[in-house]
Amino acid sequence: MSWIQDRPRLLEAAFGATQALLRPFSRRLRRGGWVERAFVAGEKLTKGPLFDCRMCGQCILHSTGMTCPMTCPKTMRNGPCGGVRPDGHCEVKPEMTCVWLLAWERSKAMPTFGPEIRRVQPPLDRRLEGSAAWINHATGDAERVPAGWNS
Ligand code: SF4
């Protein structure tokens, strides 16, 4: 659904609204149980069609121009690899535009979260795959970094 992804400002507003809506409940959210299952189902239903979400469990859409970095064939989370073609297409899948080129352009249209694209992202915790990113953010699991990590 690239037409909606090409409206990053609108998506940024929707993200901010969801974040504000969940904030009062965040201390009560826990992993496991029916609440997490409901969140997982909700994320699959919404972020699946909207962003081609791969359920990494550590959502950084707001830091990547509302463009899912996990759709990069190399799942790069810190900018493009060295193989972007001169026309801006992917070296692995030449038919697709580089995910990071799109992320960079879209982030420019996001006044609040757009600058976050400059953040260095820690390595992905693969143990969180398939879990609910909103809950992982609420519990702090999504922000936990490996020992020794220093961005
Ligand atoms: S960053 Fe992770 S949780 Fe967010 S849309 Fe991409 S795969 Fe899904």
Side-chain angles (χ1 to χ4, degrees), residues 35-66:
V35 176
E36 186 181 29
R37 286 198 295 278
F39 267 80
V40 167
E43 289 188 24
K44 280 183 181 166
L45 262 173
T46 53
K47 293 198 294 185
L50 286 177
F51 304 107
D52 198 10
C53 170
R54 310 295 163 94
M55 296 299 290
C56 75
Q58 287 176 277
C59 197
I60 53 168
L61 276 173
H62 56 287
S63 303
T64 55
M66 304 307 284

Side-chain angles (χ1 to χ4, degrees), residues 2-72:
S2 73
W3 63 271
I4 187 79
Q5 289 187 334
D6 287 335
R7 282 156 186 79
R9 204 173 185 138
L10 177 72
L11 290 169
E12 178 184 56
F15 171 77
T18 310
Q19 199 179 40
L21 196 73
L22 291 177
R23 193 168 293 125
F25 308 102
S26 63
R27 299 183 82 166
R28 294 184 182 183
L29 293 174
R30 297 275 176 277
R31 292 187 60 202
W34 69 270
V35 176
E36 186 181 29
R37 286 198 295 278
F39 267 80
V40 167
E43 289 188 24
K44 280 183 181 166
L45 262 173
T46 53
K47 293 198 294 185
L50 286 177
F51 304 107
D52 198 10
C53 170
R54 310 295 163 94
M55 296 299 290
C56 75
Q58 287 176 277
C59 197
I60 53 168
L61 276 173
H62 56 287
S63 303
T64 55
M66 304 307 284
T67 305
C68 176
M70 306 312 284
T71 58
C72 162

